[in-house]
Amino acid sequence: MTAPGSLDRSLRERAAQVIPGGMYGHQSTALLPDGYPQFFSGGQGAHLTDADGRRYLDFMCAYGPNLLGYAHPGVDAAYIDQLRKGDALTGPTPAMVALAEAFTGMVTHADWALFCKNGTDATSMAMVTARAHTRRKTLVLAKGAYHGAAPWCTPRPAGTTPEDRANQVFCTYNDIDSLEAAVARAGDDLAAIFAAPFRHDAFVDQVEVDPAYAHKARELADRTGALLVVDDVRAGFRVARDCSWSAVGVQPDLSSWGKCIANGHPISALLGNDKARAAAASIYVTGSFWFAGAAMAAGVATLKLIRESDYLERIEGLGARLRHGLAERASGAGFGFRQSGPVTMPLFLFDDDRDLAKGFAWCSAMLGRGVYVHPWHNMFLCAAMTEADIDVALDAAEASFDDLKRNRAEIRPAAKMAFLTAG
Ligand code: PMP
């Protein structure tokens, strides 16, 4: 197994003194196999460099933001140009209007856009807009779906109150009966139905949306006067150049976006239709950095490339090559190895691996071969990857399966599973 480099180790020791828990959120040290670096010094194209100078082919893409390649010259030039002219100013730059026009021109259901910084800002704004629109309180959400880290939606309840989560009713994703039952429980107080574009919860196989479920959600929202929200923060632009549910012919009232919309620069968005416009204009939402121009300029440049380049077809082709190649190598080595979700956002889980021991060992072996993969979260492809990169990953996978088979990799239960799965 690879050990973290010496600079990484010393940064962790220093972090333990000055950062609570040494790290937080999805980068908490407990969440990845031993040996995974915690600190990085740079990224270029499809590759990531850790603080000790080791280079990896990166299948996490910053947990989504890297869509076109790290340090993309065109996007970064737009960012730097606006940065030099001015970023956080007393008001927005013209890029704000250009970005809203670009989004509404691309996303079928969208007639307007509000910009913020993180995905959680966008999903929280969707909630408030729906409540302002309906003057009702209750949200229907799918159990296990991630919508952010605010008190109303964080998966770890420390420091929150039951009241933060009042007025929420849960259903099972893709289960029409449970969706109908949740809507019935909300009664005449339903403000919004939230939906991920497909089931992309951590630790379990991803599942495509059942088109009948998406259509039912639309129908129930229409029947009750509630708003339908698609949370496209993670999947946005990796399955369509439109809201992800356009692929199944369902248009939401609101959609939340973030991560890759400016190829890594900090900006997120709530998009909405005319029905929700007055409510969106009535809510008070803002932030010191929400009008900053550089990320908006980067967003305009990114959306242009999304519209005009073949990035989506490229990452679909690369994803299919990876999926087929891995399936062949896993079965050749005799492993039940499940690959789920869109090929552009794959998740890998081993059969008979409840404690993720095989998954952690295989990922560590991949890391040792310079390929950064994740044992329980979906990954992301970026358009800077090449077929040769995928082939490097496949060779690494073959050798790592072999390590597992011959017990050369250390297979032990992922020690911190209790932390990982704690509610
Ligand atoms: N919704 C979804 C579907 C997400 O995947 C995420 C982030 N992983 C969020 C919301 C929250 O986004 P952020 O971390 O930028 O606040």
Side-chain angles (χ1 to χ4, degrees):
M1 194 199 66
T2 334
S6 57
L7 191 52
D8 193 87
R9 275 203 309 276
S10 81
L11 285 165
R12 284 178 202 231
E13 281 162 21
R14 286 165 56 198
Q17 302 304 313
V18 290
I19 292 166
M23 192 47 61
Y24 42 85
H26 64 277
Q27 276 300 300
S28 302
T29 42
L31 295 175
L32 286 166
D34 297 338
Y36 268 57
Q38 186 72 72
F39 295 95
F40 299 92
S41 61
Q44 193 69 48
H47 291 85
L48 188 62
T49 304
D50 73 15
D52 285 280
R54 295 175 183 164
R55 196 164 167 267
Y56 308 96
L57 174 61
D58 176 26
F59 282 97
M60 282 317 285
C61 290
Y63 285 76
N66 173 19
L67 177 69
L68 304 172
Y70 287 118
H72 187 279
V75 175
D76 286 5
Y79 182 87
I80 291 164
D81 184 49
Q82 185 58 54
L83 189 68
R84 291 216 169 99
K85 290 184 196 149
D87 187 17
L89 305 169
T90 302
T93 67
M96 182 184 193
V97 182
L99 187 56
E101 287 168 347
F103 262 117
T104 55
M106 283 174 74
V107 174
T108 306
H109 82 89
D111 298 312
W112 53 261
L114 291 172
F115 299 109
C116 35
K117 281 290 152 190
N118 287 290
T120 308
D121 301 332
T123 57
S124 300
M125 239 160 32
M127 171 181 73
V128 177
T129 303
R131 286 179 172 160
H133 174 77
T134 57
R135 298 176 192 277
R136 304 176 196 156
K137 297 191 293 291
T138 303
L139 313 177
V140 165
L141 304 148
K143 275 191 292 283
Y146 186 76
H147 295 297
W152 69 272
C153 57
T154 173
R156 293 174 62 80
T160 66
T161 67
E163 289 76 15
D164 291 322
R165 289 168 179 273
N167 311 304
Q168 299 184 354
V169 179
F170 289 88
C171 68
T172 303
Y173 195 84
N174 266 350
D175 179 336
I176 290 178
D177 290 346
S178 91
L179 176 64
E180 285 186 312
V183 167
R185 268 183 62 205
D188 58 10
D189 191 46
L190 184 65
I193 300 173
F194 269 70
F198 55 92
R199 195 183 77 182
H200 51 35
D201 309 348
F203 302 110
V204 292
D205 296 312
Q206 301 190 89
V207 184
E208 295 294 333
V209 67
D210 174 353
Y213 179 81
H215 283 277
K216 180 59 75 177
R218 181 68 272 173
E219 181 194 316
L220 290 168
D222 288 340
R223 195 194 302 160
T224 58
L227 296 187
L228 176 61
V229 183
V230 168
D231 180 0
D232 240 341
V233 167
R234 193 182 312 180
F237 296 138
R238 274 193 174 84
V239 291
R241 292 179 175 85
D242 196 341
C243 179
S244 296
W245 270 14
S246 57
V248 291
V250 174
Q251 300 301 336
D253 301 300
L254 302 173
S255 58
S256 48
W257 299 72
K259 291 191 184 281
C260 74
I261 64 173
N263 200 49
H265 296 292
I267 185 160
S268 58
L270 178 67
L271 307 184
N273 61 12
D274 276 332
K275 196 203 295 183
R277 187 190 289 263
S282 76
I283 60 175
Y284 186 74
V285 284
T286 191
S288 299
F289 301 106
W290 284 20
F291 299 104
M296 292 186 183
V300 172
T302 302
L303 261 51
K304 187 169 169 18
L305 287 164
I306 287 173
R307 279 195 314 273
E308 295 176 3
S309 79
D310 64 350
Y311 85 99
L312 185 57
E313 294 68 29
R314 279 179 44 72
I315 58 174
E316 285 169 347
L318 295 167
R321 187 181 185 91
L322 180 69
R323 184 151 300 182
H324 295 141
L326 280 176
E328 253 173 45
R329 281 149 181 91
S331 76
F335 286 105
F337 182 77
R338 306 193 304 279
Q339 306 183 65
S340 59
V343 294
T344 55
M345 297 176 62
L347 178 90
F348 307 149
L349 292 170
F350 282 81
D351 287 349
D352 308 317
D353 194 31
R354 276 178 61 85
D355 58 7
L356 295 183
K358 288 182 203 162
F360 270 50
W362 186 77
C363 287
S364 282
M366 291 290 279
L367 188 87
R369 295 184 167 88
V371 182
Y372 192 109
V373 283
H374 201 291
W376 51 263
H377 192 287
N378 75 266
M379 287 160 271
F380 302 86
L381 271 69
C382 77
M385 290 172 175
T386 62
E387 291 192 350
D389 288 328
I390 299 300
D391 294 346
V392 165
L394 292 176
D395 287 347
E398 186 167 335
S400 300
F401 284 129
D402 202 45
D403 283 356
L404 241 62
K405 202 164 116 188
R406 297 181 198 286
N407 289 326
R408 283 198 295 248
E410 196 180 352
I411 303 183
R412 57 193 170 90
K416 291 139 184 165
M417 278 301 286
F419 177 92
L420 298 179
T421 50

